[in-house]
Amino acid sequence: MKVGGLLASAGINIGLCVLFLSLYSILRKQPSNVKVYFGRRIAEERNRLRDAFILERFVPSPSWIVKSLRCTEDEILDAAGLDAVVFNRIIVFSIRIFSLAAILCILGVLPLNYFGQDMLHVRIPSASLETFTIGNVQERSRWLWVHCVVLYIISVVACVLLYLEYKHISRLRLCHISRATSNPSHFTVLVRGIPKSSTESFSRTVQGFFTKYHASSYLSHQVVCKVGKVQKIVSGAKKVYRKFRHFKGTAVDQRCRSITFQCCFCGASSNSFQLLPIDFEQESEIPNVNDSSFSSTDEECGAAFIFFKTRYAALVVAKILQTSNPMRWVTSLAPERDDIYWSNLWLPYKQLWIRHISTLGGSIVFMFLFLMPVTFIQGLTQLEQLQQRLPFLRGILEKNYMTQLITGYLPSVILQIFLYTVPPTMMLFSTLEGPISHSERKKSACCKVLFFTIWNVFFVNVLSGSAISQVIALSRPKEIPMQLARAVPVQATFFTTYVLTSGWASLSSELMQLFALTWNFIRRYILRMEEDDLLYSFPYHTEVPKVLLFGLLGFTCSVLAPLILPFLLLYFCLGYVVYRNQFLNVYCTKYDTGGLYWPIAHNATIFSLVLTQIICLGVFALKKSPVAAGFTVPLIIFTLLFYQYCRKRHLPLFKTFPAQNLIDMDMEDQQMGRTEDLHHRLHNAYFQFPDTDDIPLEGVHSVGRDEDGSGTSGESSRKESADDELSHPTLDGLPVSRLRNAVRSLGSVLRPQRRELAV
C-alpha cells in the first residue's frame, strides 16, 4: 500500500467526521431530538421542552466541545458513576503515553526507518508505506539501538503512568465504598445452592440454617421466587402507566367529543376516547400484588437474600465456606437492587459449570468461524493475490484511484461491518453463563469481546493466510515471535487504515446516536407514538475493548511503524471529548461496578507492552542486532515483575471490600443512631416487585367547559405552568417566551380584521 492510499482513506474519514460533527451540533438543538441527545438530563429534570423556531438551532457550533472540556472528574463521577471515571482515565492514559510515543517515534525513529537503506526515494505520496517501517532498516545497522532506547522509554513511562492510574482509581474505589453508607447491598448476602427438603420450604430451611450458625449477626431473609407470569403482568402494568403518565398534574375534559382522524400512512381511522368515571369502590377492591397469596412454596427457588446486622458480618459470611460440600450454601455479596438479573437467580447452581463450559466452546467456535471473512478481507490488501484469484479485476485495479480505494478504505469498512455482530453475540453468551447481575454480565461480555477483537483483528490479520495455515502456525509456539516480527511491520498499513475507518467513524456514529435518532424519527412521525424515554446505559462491553484494541495497535506499531501514531492520537483526543459529552448528556447510569473495568484495562495494557517487547526482540534478532536483542530481555522481565507487584498491591481492593472500612462505617452508624433505620430499610430493599403498588393519580382532575366555550381554571393553570418549562439545554438564556409573545402580537396586528357592514 502506498502513501496515497493512506491519504485517501484519511481524507474520506476526515470528511465524514466533519460532516457528522456538524450535523450533530445542529441535530442536538432540535426539540424533537432532545431525548436522544439529552436523555440523562431530561430523566433528572423531568421537564418538557418548548418547540420554538430559533435560527441558532440550524447553525453548527462548538459549544458542546467547550462544555465537555470544562467538565471536571467530580462532575463525571456524580453524573455517571465510577465506571465512567475509569473509562475516562483509560483514554487519558492513552493520550499521555501515545503523545510521548508520537514525539519520540516521529522525530527519532521514522527518519531512521525511511533512510534505512541506500535506495532511490520517490515522492512521498507515491512511496510505499513499508519504507516507513523498521523493515526498511538494513541488517546489522548501528541505528537499531535507537529503536531499543525508544522502546525502553515508552515501556518505563507506561508502567509509571499505569501505577499512578491504578493508585488513583483504587483511592476512588475506597471513597465510593465509604460514601455508600445507606447501600443495602453491604448488609446483604446472596446464598445459592440451598438444599431442598421434602418437609420444609426453602424459607424455613434458610431460617433454620442461619439462626443456628450465624445467630449473633443474622437479621432476616427473603427467598427468591420464580413467578414469571406475575412479572409479565407487572411489566405490562408499567407500560400502561407510562402511557398515562402525562395525565398527572394536567386537566382532562370530561365532555370531549369523538374525533375521527387518519392514522399515519395506513389510512385507518382512530377515534378519541372518552374519560370514564372512576368507581372508587371497585378501585378499593383491587387485590394487592404484594400480598403473600401470590407467592407459593412450589415456586420458591434455591436462592435467597440474607440480611445481616452489620456490614462486616455480611462480608465474613460471603467469603467463608459454609459447609463441607462446596456446591451447597454458596454465598457471595449481593449486587445492588437495580443491578440484579432476576431470571438467572432461578437457575440451579449445579448447572453453572456446564453453562460456563458450553459458552466457552461456543465463543471459540464463533471465533474460528469469523476467520473466513477476515481472511477474505486480508486478501483485499494484497493486490497481487487479488489479481491472481480474480483475473477479471485487472482492468479495474490498473486505475490509481480504484487501487487506493480498495487497498486503503474498503478492507477496514468490511471488517467493521462484520464486527458489529460480535458484541450482541458475546452478550448472549455471557447471559447464558448465568450471571446474577447486569454489571457482571456486561463485564463478562467485555472480556469476551476483547479477546475476540485482539485475536481476529490483530493476530489473524498478522498471521495472514488460510485458517489451516494459522492453526499450523500456532502449533509451533517457538516460531510465533519470529512470525510476528516478520508480519507486523508489513500489516501496519492495514492497522493504520483500520484506526481511521473503525476509530474515527465509530466516534462519529457514537456522537450522532444513529440508532436512537432513527427510532425517534420513526416513533414520532411514522408510528405517531407518544413520548417515551430513550434512556440507555453506556455500552462498556463495546467501547472498552475498542479503546484497548487501539492501545494494543499503538504499542505494537509505535517503534516498528510509527506512522500510525498521529492518527491514533487524534482518535483518543476526539474520543476524550465525545465520551465526556455522552456521559454528561446521553447515558443514564442505573448500576455501577465500582471501577471493576480498570483491572481489565490494566491487564490488557500489560499484555500489549509484553507483546510489543517480544515482537521487537524478534525483529532485532532478524536484523542480526544482538546488543538490542539482549537489552530487550531484561525489559520483558521488568514488565512482568511490575505486573505481579500491581496484582499484589492494588488488585485485592477490586475483588472484595476492606474490613477496616466496613467496621468504621458500622461504628459510625451506631454512634449516629442510624442502625435501626438501616435495618428497617433492608426488609423492602430486595423485594422482587417494587413497582406493584397502586399508582396514585390524584394529580389528574377533570374540568368542564363554560357555555361560551372558554376553559375553566384548570386550563388556565396549565397555560401558566407552560411558562415555567425549561428552555432547550443548548439554548440557555434565550427569551423563548418573549419571542413567542412578540410573534403572536405581530400576527394579531397584521391579521386582516372582519368589519360588519351597517344595514
PDB file of all heavy atoms in Angstrom, residues 637-656:
ATOM      1  N   ILE A 637      11.300  -8.938  31.492  1.00  0.00           N
ATOM      2  CA  ILE A 637      11.261  -9.422  32.878  1.00  0.00           C
ATOM      3  C   ILE A 637      10.799  -8.309  33.815  1.00  0.00           C
ATOM      4  O   ILE A 637       9.985  -8.535  34.729  1.00  0.00           O
ATOM      5  CB  ILE A 637      12.650  -9.948  33.286  1.00  0.00           C
ATOM      6  CG1 ILE A 637      13.047 -11.123  32.391  1.00  0.00           C
ATOM      7  CG2 ILE A 637      12.667 -10.350  34.750  1.00  0.00           C
ATOM      8  CD1 ILE A 637      14.453 -11.635  32.637  1.00  0.00           C
ATOM      9  N   PHE A 638      11.280  -7.086  33.601  1.00  0.00           N
ATOM     10  CA  PHE A 638      10.871  -5.958  34.432  1.00  0.00           C
ATOM     11  C   PHE A 638       9.368  -5.700  34.310  1.00  0.00           C
ATOM     12  O   PHE A 638       8.684  -5.425  35.311  1.00  0.00           O
ATOM     13  CB  PHE A 638      11.659  -4.713  34.028  1.00  0.00           C
ATOM     14  CG  PHE A 638      11.121  -3.444  34.606  1.00  0.00           C
ATOM     15  CD1 PHE A 638      11.347  -3.101  35.933  1.00  0.00           C
ATOM     16  CD2 PHE A 638      10.366  -2.584  33.818  1.00  0.00           C
ATOM     17  CE1 PHE A 638      10.832  -1.926  36.464  1.00  0.00           C
ATOM     18  CE2 PHE A 638       9.849  -1.405  34.338  1.00  0.00           C
ATOM     19  CZ  PHE A 638      10.081  -1.070  35.674  1.00  0.00           C
ATOM     20  N   THR A 639       8.829  -5.774  33.125  1.00  0.00           N
ATOM     21  CA  THR A 639       7.388  -5.531  32.927  1.00  0.00           C
ATOM     22  C   THR A 639       6.551  -6.596  33.620  1.00  0.00           C
ATOM     23  O   THR A 639       5.517  -6.281  34.246  1.00  0.00           O
ATOM     24  CB  THR A 639       7.069  -5.495  31.424  1.00  0.00           C
ATOM     25  OG1 THR A 639       7.919  -4.559  30.770  1.00  0.00           O
ATOM     26  CG2 THR A 639       5.622  -5.097  31.195  1.00  0.00           C
ATOM     27  N   LEU A 640       6.969  -7.848  33.553  1.00  0.00           N
ATOM     28  CA  LEU A 640       6.235  -8.914  34.229  1.00  0.00           C
ATOM     29  C   LEU A 640       6.313  -8.776  35.742  1.00  0.00           C
ATOM     30  O   LEU A 640       5.327  -9.033  36.456  1.00  0.00           O
ATOM     31  CB  LEU A 640       6.776 -10.272  33.790  1.00  0.00           C
ATOM     32  CG  LEU A 640       6.559 -10.634  32.308  1.00  0.00           C
ATOM     33  CD1 LEU A 640       7.223 -11.965  31.986  1.00  0.00           C
ATOM     34  CD2 LEU A 640       5.065 -10.687  31.980  1.00  0.00           C
ATOM     35  N   LEU A 641       7.461  -8.349  36.271  1.00  0.00           N
ATOM     36  CA  LEU A 641       7.573  -8.114  37.714  1.00  0.00           C
ATOM     37  C   LEU A 641       6.690  -6.951  38.158  1.00  0.00           C
ATOM     38  O   LEU A 641       6.076  -7.002  39.237  1.00  0.00           O
ATOM     39  CB  LEU A 641       9.033  -7.843  38.079  1.00  0.00           C
ATOM     40  CG  LEU A 641       9.998  -9.032  37.970  1.00  0.00           C
ATOM     41  CD1 LEU A 641      11.420  -8.590  38.288  1.00  0.00           C
ATOM     42  CD2 LEU A 641       9.567 -10.168  38.894  1.00  0.00           C
ATOM     43  N   PHE A 642       6.636  -5.919  37.351  1.00  0.00           N
ATOM     44  CA  PHE A 642       5.740  -4.799  37.660  1.00  0.00           C
ATOM     45  C   PHE A 642       4.283  -5.244  37.679  1.00  0.00           C
ATOM     46  O   PHE A 642       3.505  -4.833  38.554  1.00  0.00           O
ATOM     47  CB  PHE A 642       5.949  -3.686  36.632  1.00  0.00           C
ATOM     48  CG  PHE A 642       4.898  -2.612  36.681  1.00  0.00           C
ATOM     49  CD1 PHE A 642       4.914  -1.653  37.681  1.00  0.00           C
ATOM     50  CD2 PHE A 642       3.890  -2.569  35.728  1.00  0.00           C
ATOM     51  CE1 PHE A 642       3.942  -0.661  37.731  1.00  0.00           C
ATOM     52  CE2 PHE A 642       2.919  -1.585  35.768  1.00  0.00           C
ATOM     53  CZ  PHE A 642       2.945  -0.633  36.769  1.00  0.00           C
ATOM     54  N   TYR A 643       3.905  -6.074  36.742  1.00  0.00           N
ATOM     55  CA  TYR A 643       2.534  -6.591  36.701  1.00  0.00           C
ATOM     56  C   TYR A 643       2.222  -7.407  37.959  1.00  0.00           C
ATOM     57  O   TYR A 643       1.144  -7.274  38.544  1.00  0.00           O
ATOM     58  CB  TYR A 643       2.350  -7.443  35.448  1.00  0.00           C
ATOM     59  CG  TYR A 643       1.072  -8.238  35.417  1.00  0.00           C
ATOM     60  CD1 TYR A 643      -0.153  -7.618  35.272  1.00  0.00           C
ATOM     61  CD2 TYR A 643       1.090  -9.628  35.535  1.00  0.00           C
ATOM     62  CE1 TYR A 643      -1.333  -8.341  35.237  1.00  0.00           C
ATOM     63  CE2 TYR A 643      -0.072 -10.362  35.498  1.00  0.00           C
ATOM     64  CZ  TYR A 643      -1.281  -9.716  35.357  1.00  0.00           C
ATOM     65  OH  TYR A 643      -2.441 -10.444  35.342  1.00  0.00           O
ATOM     66  N   GLN A 644       3.159  -8.222  38.384  1.00  0.00           N
ATOM     67  CA  GLN A 644       2.946  -9.027  39.576  1.00  0.00           C
ATOM     68  C   GLN A 644       2.848  -8.149  40.820  1.00  0.00           C
ATOM     69  O   GLN A 644       2.055  -8.428  41.736  1.00  0.00           O
ATOM     70  CB  GLN A 644       4.080 -10.047  39.728  1.00  0.00           C
ATOM     71  CG  GLN A 644       3.836 -11.109  40.785  1.00  0.00           C
ATOM     72  CD  GLN A 644       2.675 -12.027  40.431  1.00  0.00           C
ATOM     73  OE1 GLN A 644       2.304 -12.135  39.260  1.00  0.00           O
ATOM     74  NE2 GLN A 644       2.093 -12.668  41.436  1.00  0.00           N
ATOM     75  N   TYR A 645       3.631  -7.093  40.874  1.00  0.00           N
ATOM     76  CA  TYR A 645       3.551  -6.176  42.021  1.00  0.00           C
ATOM     77  C   TYR A 645       2.184  -5.497  42.092  1.00  0.00           C
ATOM     78  O   TYR A 645       1.610  -5.356  43.175  1.00  0.00           O
ATOM     79  CB  TYR A 645       4.660  -5.128  41.917  1.00  0.00           C
ATOM     80  CG  TYR A 645       4.529  -4.027  42.944  1.00  0.00           C
ATOM     81  CD1 TYR A 645       4.880  -4.242  44.272  1.00  0.00           C
ATOM     82  CD2 TYR A 645       4.048  -2.767  42.580  1.00  0.00           C
ATOM     83  CE1 TYR A 645       4.753  -3.229  45.213  1.00  0.00           C
ATOM     84  CE2 TYR A 645       3.913  -1.758  43.508  1.00  0.00           C
ATOM     85  CZ  TYR A 645       4.267  -1.991  44.829  1.00  0.00           C
ATOM     86  OH  TYR A 645       4.124  -0.995  45.761  1.00  0.00           O
ATOM     87  N   CYS A 646       1.661  -5.053  40.957  1.00  0.00           N
ATOM     88  CA  CYS A 646       0.338  -4.406  40.940  1.00  0.00           C
ATOM     89  C   CYS A 646      -0.757  -5.388  41.349  1.00  0.00           C
ATOM     90  O   CYS A 646      -1.734  -4.995  42.004  1.00  0.00           O
ATOM     91  CB  CYS A 646       0.059  -3.828  39.558  1.00  0.00           C
ATOM     92  SG  CYS A 646       1.061  -2.395  39.137  1.00  0.00           S
ATOM     93  N   ARG A 647      -0.617  -6.636  40.972  1.00  0.00           N
ATOM     94  CA  ARG A 647      -1.602  -7.640  41.376  1.00  0.00           C
ATOM     95  C   ARG A 647      -1.612  -7.823  42.895  1.00  0.00           C
ATOM     96  O   ARG A 647      -2.675  -7.994  43.489  1.00  0.00           O
ATOM     97  CB  ARG A 647      -1.295  -8.975  40.702  1.00  0.00           C
ATOM     98  CG  ARG A 647      -1.713  -9.051  39.245  1.00  0.00           C
ATOM     99  CD  ARG A 647      -1.398 -10.418  38.664  1.00  0.00           C
ATOM    100  NE  ARG A 647      -2.036 -11.474  39.422  1.00  0.00           N
ATOM    101  CZ  ARG A 647      -3.275 -11.923  39.220  1.00  0.00           C
ATOM    102  NH1 ARG A 647      -3.995 -11.384  38.250  1.00  0.00           N
ATOM    103  NH2 ARG A 647      -3.773 -12.896  39.949  1.00  0.00           N
ATOM    104  N   LYS A 648      -0.449  -7.776  43.515  1.00  0.00           N
ATOM    105  CA  LYS A 648      -0.392  -7.946  44.964  1.00  0.00           C
ATOM    106  C   LYS A 648      -0.768  -6.670  45.714  1.00  0.00           C
ATOM    107  O   LYS A 648      -1.334  -6.740  46.809  1.00  0.00           O
ATOM    108  CB  LYS A 648       1.018  -8.383  45.376  1.00  0.00           C
ATOM    109  CG  LYS A 648       1.462  -9.712  44.783  1.00  0.00           C
ATOM    110  CD  LYS A 648       0.592 -10.860  45.286  1.00  0.00           C
ATOM    111  CE  LYS A 648       1.097 -12.187  44.736  1.00  0.00           C
ATOM    112  NZ  LYS A 648       0.230 -13.331  45.182  1.00  0.00           N
ATOM    113  N   ARG A 649      -0.468  -5.525  45.128  1.00  0.00           N
ATOM    114  CA  ARG A 649      -0.666  -4.266  45.845  1.00  0.00           C
ATOM    115  C   ARG A 649      -2.066  -3.692  45.688  1.00  0.00           C
ATOM    116  O   ARG A 649      -2.669  -3.217  46.663  1.00  0.00           O
ATOM    117  CB  ARG A 649       0.376  -3.242  45.344  1.00  0.00           C
ATOM    118  CG  ARG A 649       0.197  -1.829  45.883  1.00  0.00           C
ATOM    119  CD  ARG A 649       0.331  -1.781  47.386  1.00  0.00           C
ATOM    120  NE  ARG A 649       0.144  -0.430  47.890  1.00  0.00           N
ATOM    121  CZ  ARG A 649      -1.046   0.099  48.177  1.00  0.00           C
ATOM    122  NH1 ARG A 649      -2.152  -0.629  48.002  1.00  0.00           N
ATOM    123  NH2 ARG A 649      -1.138   1.331  48.628  1.00  0.00           N
ATOM    124  N   HIS A 650      -2.626  -3.701  44.504  1.00  0.00           N
ATOM    125  CA  HIS A 650      -3.878  -2.986  44.247  1.00  0.00           C
ATOM    126  C   HIS A 650      -5.050  -3.891  43.871  1.00  0.00           C
ATOM    127  O   HIS A 650      -6.204  -3.525  44.128  1.00  0.00           O
ATOM    128  CB  HIS A 650      -3.683  -1.952  43.133  1.00  0.00           C
ATOM    129  CG  HIS A 650      -2.728  -0.860  43.479  1.00  0.00           C
ATOM    130  ND1 HIS A 650      -2.973   0.075  44.458  1.00  0.00           N
ATOM    131  CD2 HIS A 650      -1.502  -0.547  42.972  1.00  0.00           C
ATOM    132  CE1 HIS A 650      -1.965   0.922  44.543  1.00  0.00           C
ATOM    133  NE2 HIS A 650      -1.051   0.565  43.653  1.00  0.00           N
ATOM    134  N   LEU A 651      -4.795  -5.028  43.245  1.00  0.00           N
ATOM    135  CA  LEU A 651      -5.897  -5.843  42.744  1.00  0.00           C
ATOM    136  C   LEU A 651      -6.826  -6.359  43.844  1.00  0.00           C
ATOM    137  O   LEU A 651      -8.044  -6.436  43.615  1.00  0.00           O
ATOM    138  CB  LEU A 651      -5.346  -7.011  41.917  1.00  0.00           C
ATOM    139  CG  LEU A 651      -6.389  -7.890  41.213  1.00  0.00           C
ATOM    140  CD1 LEU A 651      -7.228  -7.056  40.257  1.00  0.00           C
ATOM    141  CD2 LEU A 651      -5.724  -9.041  40.480  1.00  0.00           C
ATOM    142  N   PRO A 652      -6.342  -6.727  45.053  1.00  0.00           N
ATOM    143  CA  PRO A 652      -7.288  -7.199  46.085  1.00  0.00           C
ATOM    144  C   PRO A 652      -8.364  -6.189  46.453  1.00  0.00           C
ATOM    145  O   PRO A 652      -9.448  -6.589  46.880  1.00  0.00           O
ATOM    146  CB  PRO A 652      -6.362  -7.485  47.285  1.00  0.00           C
ATOM    147  CG  PRO A 652      -5.058  -7.831  46.668  1.00  0.00           C
ATOM    148  CD  PRO A 652      -4.948  -6.947  45.469  1.00  0.00           C
ATOM    149  N   LEU A 653      -8.101  -4.905  46.278  1.00  0.00           N
ATOM    150  CA  LEU A 653      -9.128  -3.903  46.571  1.00  0.00           C
ATOM    151  C   LEU A 653     -10.300  -3.982  45.603  1.00  0.00           C
ATOM    152  O   LEU A 653     -11.401  -3.512  45.922  1.00  0.00           O
ATOM    153  CB  LEU A 653      -8.519  -2.501  46.513  1.00  0.00           C
ATOM    154  CG  LEU A 653      -7.468  -2.169  47.579  1.00  0.00           C
ATOM    155  CD1 LEU A 653      -6.887  -0.795  47.324  1.00  0.00           C
ATOM    156  CD2 LEU A 653      -8.094  -2.236  48.963  1.00  0.00           C
ATOM    157  N   PHE A 654     -10.077  -4.568  44.421  1.00  0.00           N
ATOM    158  CA  PHE A 654     -11.132  -4.683  43.421  1.00  0.00           C
ATOM    159  C   PHE A 654     -11.850  -6.028  43.491  1.00  0.00           C
ATOM    160  O   PHE A 654     -12.812  -6.243  42.753  1.00  0.00           O
ATOM    161  CB  PHE A 654     -10.553  -4.484  42.020  1.00  0.00           C
ATOM    162  CG  PHE A 654     -10.074  -3.089  41.765  1.00  0.00           C
ATOM    163  CD1 PHE A 654      -8.815  -2.680  42.182  1.00  0.00           C
ATOM    164  CD2 PHE A 654     -10.880  -2.177  41.120  1.00  0.00           C
ATOM    165  CE1 PHE A 654      -8.364  -1.399  41.954  1.00  0.00           C
ATOM    166  CE2 PHE A 654     -10.443  -0.882  40.878  1.00  0.00           C
ATOM    167  CZ  PHE A 654      -9.179  -0.493  41.307  1.00  0.00           C
ATOM    168  N   LYS A 655     -11.381  -6.926  44.339  1.00  0.00           N
ATOM    169  CA  LYS A 655     -12.028  -8.225  44.478  1.00  0.00           C
ATOM    170  C   LYS A 655     -12.994  -8.284  45.652  1.00  0.00           C
ATOM    171  O   LYS A 655     -13.951  -9.056  45.631  1.00  0.00           O
ATOM    172  CB  LYS A 655     -10.966  -9.320  44.629  1.00  0.00           C
ATOM    173  CG  LYS A 655     -10.166  -9.579  43.368  1.00  0.00           C
ATOM    174  CD  LYS A 655      -9.221 -10.747  43.554  1.00  0.00           C
ATOM    175  CE  LYS A 655      -8.483 -11.068  42.265  1.00  0.00           C
ATOM    176  NZ  LYS A 655      -7.567 -12.235  42.442  1.00  0.00           N
ATOM    177  N   THR A 656     -12.754  -7.504  46.676  1.00  0.00           N
ATOM    178  CA  THR A 656     -13.607  -7.522  47.855  1.00  0.00           C
ATOM    179  C   THR A 656     -13.526  -6.171  48.537  1.00  0.00           C
ATOM    180  O   THR A 656     -12.790  -5.267  48.105  1.00  0.00           O
ATOM    181  CB  THR A 656     -13.180  -8.628  48.829  1.00  0.00           C
ATOM    182  OG1 THR A 656     -14.091  -8.671  49.926  1.00  0.00           O
ATOM    183  CG2 THR A 656     -11.776  -8.396  49.333  1.00  0.00           C
TER     184      THR A 656
END
